[in-house]
Amino acid sequence: MKTFRERLKTDIPILYDGGFGSQLFARNIQLANSALANKSYPNDVIDIHLDYIKAGADVIGTNTFVVSPLHLQMAGQDKSDAKQLTKLGVQHAKDAVARCEKEVYIAGSVGPSPGAIEADSGDTTFGIANDEVREAHKLVINTLAEEGVDFLCLETMFSAKEAAIAADVARKTELPIAVNMTYKCTKDRKTGEITYKTDWGHSATHLLQILNSGEFSNGDSLIDNIDIIGLNCGAETKHQEHSGMPYAINGTKQLHDAFITLGINGKRMMAYPNAGMPELNENYETVYTQDADEMKAYIPELIAAGAYIIGGCCGTTPKHIKAFRQAIDTNT
C-alpha cells in the first residue's frame, strides 16, 4: 500500500467518507458529545466506518471531531477522557479497515475549538485563549499521530488563525496535513462580487496569507508543511444556492484563484460539503435538501474545478458516497 503522500502524487481523485454525527443520529444515538460513542457505542462506530468503506470510500475519518478536552468540558464531561476517546476513535477506524479486503486510509479528524463560533481565536471575551486552544490541539493531534493515522484532517475551521495554530502543532508530527475551512457567502455591495469568507472575515486568500505569515508558528511559513487545502460543511440559510455542492464548487474555484494570485503551487484541493440545507419534515425529523443523485450530478464539475479529495459532510450518507464513487469512476 502506498503511503498517503505517495497516493497524493497519483492523478486519480480520492473519495472521502460522509457525515458521521448524522449517522449516529440515524441510529438513534444522541449524546452530549459524539466522541463519547467511541466508548459507549463502539460497534456502531465501527459499523458506520464499514458502511462508508463498503460504499467505496478510499479514506475514513476518525470519530474525533469534538474529542478535545475543551469540547468535553463544554458538554459537562470529564475533559481528562480526551486522550482515551481519541485512542478509541483511531482503533475503531483501524478495526473497520481490518475487516475489509481493501486499501483504505485513515484521517485523524481535528475539529475547531468550541469558542470558535462565538469569537475569533484569541478573543477571550467570548472565545478561548490561544494557549488553551494550542494545548487542546496538541493533546488530540499528538494522540492521533501516536495511534497511527495516515494524515491529519483539520476541518470545519471557522478561524484561519485557529487553523494556523492547529497546523503548527500538526507539522511537528511530520504527517501529511489537510486544512479545511468553513465559509459563508458574502457579497460586495458595490461590485456585487461573491466571496466566501469565514465568520471572522477570512477568505481563502486570507487563509493562505495567515498560514504564510508565521504569526502562529514562530515566524515560520506553514505553507510548505500543508499538503491539502480545502473546505467542508457549508449551509446557508439565506443563500441556499451556496449550500451543498454549489458551495463546494464555488469555494474550490475561489481557492484555486487564491493559489494563482499568491503564486502557491503543488497543493491538492479537498471539498466535502453538507447535503444541502437541514430542514424539519412533518415528523419533526431533520432531513437534508440534496439527495445522493442530485449531489452526484455535480461531481464532474467539482473535479473540473480542481477538487482532488471529494466527500460529504453533515447529512451525507453511505448512499451519497456510493453515488460519488460511481461518478468519480465514470469521470476518470
Side-chain angles (χ1 to χ4, degrees), residues 79-95:
K79 64 181 183 179
S80 66
D81 288 341
K83 191 174 184 71
Q84 181 196 20
L85 290 169
T86 303
K87 287 183 174 182
L88 288 172
V90 180
Q91 188 56 58
H92 296 333
K94 285 185 172 181
D95 287 348

Side-chain angles (χ1 to χ4, degrees), residues 56-71:
D58 300 309
V59 179
I60 55 172
T62 56
N63 181 37
T64 53
F65 178 71
V66 287
V67 79
S68 87
L70 296 174
H71 278 285

Side-chain angles (χ1 to χ4, degrees), residues 12-324:
I12 302 172
I14 294 172
L15 179 59
Y16 202 63
D17 63 10
F20 202 95
S22 49
Q23 286 298 289
L24 288 172
F25 288 141
R27 293 167 177 258
N28 294 316
I29 297 173
Q30 299 187 31
L31 301 165
N33 180 299
S34 59
L36 298 174
N38 292 338
K39 186 175 182 179
S40 302
Y41 297 92
N43 292 331
D44 290 279
V45 171
I46 293 169
D47 285 346
I48 292 170
H49 286 316
L50 281 169
D51 286 345
Y52 281 122
I53 293 171
K54 291 174 182 176
D58 300 309
V59 179
I60 55 172
T62 56
N63 181 37
T64 53
F65 178 71
V66 287
V67 79
S68 87
L70 296 174
H71 278 285
L72 292 175
Q73 184 178 40
M74 186 185 72
Q77 305 297 313
D78 189 342
K79 64 181 183 179
S80 66
D81 288 341
K83 191 174 184 71
Q84 181 196 20
L85 290 169
T86 303
K87 287 183 174 182
L88 288 172
V90 180
Q91 188 56 58
H92 296 333
K94 285 185 172 181
D95 287 348
V97 173
R99 297 184 192 186
C100 298
E101 295 180 358
K102 181 184 175 185
E103 294 182 350
V104 178
Y105 296 98
I106 297 173
S109 170
V110 181
S113 299
I117 299 174
E118 288 80 20
D120 198 359
S121 182
D123 180 342
T124 54
T125 303
F126 298 102
I128 299 171
N130 282 347
D131 58 349
E132 292 183 58
V133 169
R134 183 177 291 273
E135 288 306 308
H137 281 310
K138 276 184 181 178
L139 187 148
V140 174
I141 287 170
N142 290 340
T143 303
L144 289 168
E146 290 163 6
E147 293 301 304
V149 298
D150 294 295
F151 72 104
L152 295 163
C153 186
L154 317 183
E155 56 183 338
T156 323
M157 288 289 161
F158 297 93
S159 166
K161 295 179 181 180
E162 181 175 7
I165 292 170
D168 184 44
V169 173
R171 68 171 171 155
K172 295 176 177 65
T173 69
E174 298 186 352
L175 286 172
I177 301 169
V179 175
N180 290 291
M181 304 296 291
T182 291
Y183 299 104
K184 290 184 177 179
C185 170
T186 67
K187 185 176 182 179
D188 188 304
R189 292 181 180 180
K190 293 182 178 179
T191 66
E193 182 182 6
I194 297 292
T195 303
Y196 285 0
K197 295 182 179 180
T198 69
D199 286 325
W200 312 119
H202 301 150
S203 66
T205 299
H206 293 134
L207 168 66
L208 297 177
Q209 290 171 333
I210 289 170
L211 291 173
N212 191 50
S213 72
E215 181 181 355
F216 301 96
S217 48
N218 293 319
D220 297 334
S221 171
L222 293 166
I223 292 294
D224 289 342
N225 301 110
I226 297 169
D227 304 80
I228 303 151
I229 300 178
L231 74 167
N232 71 303
C233 207
E236 285 276 4
T237 54
K238 295 181 180 179
H239 304 281
Q240 292 198 33
E241 71 275 17
H242 292 284
S243 292
M245 274 295 183
Y247 157 82
I249 292 165
N250 288 323
T252 300
K253 289 177 178 177
Q254 290 184 24
L255 175 59
H256 180 263
D257 289 344
F259 282 146
I260 293 173
T261 299
L262 297 177
I264 295 172
N265 301 304
K267 305 299 174 188
R268 290 298 193 180
M269 290 192 287
M270 184 171 183
Y272 51 119
N274 287 352
M277 284 295 302
E279 298 178 345
L280 289 177
N281 65 15
E282 63 275 9
N283 297 318
Y284 297 99
E285 299 168 330
T286 300
V287 294
Y288 284 78
T289 56
Q290 292 182 16
D291 63 22
D293 288 338
E294 181 177 352
M295 295 188 80
K296 172 185 176 180
Y298 285 106
I299 293 291
E301 188 176 353
L302 183 56
I303 292 174
Y308 177 79
I309 303 178
I310 296 169
C313 200
C314 304
T316 56
T317 67
K319 186 176 180 180
H320 286 82
I321 299 307
K322 184 177 181 179
F324 293 3

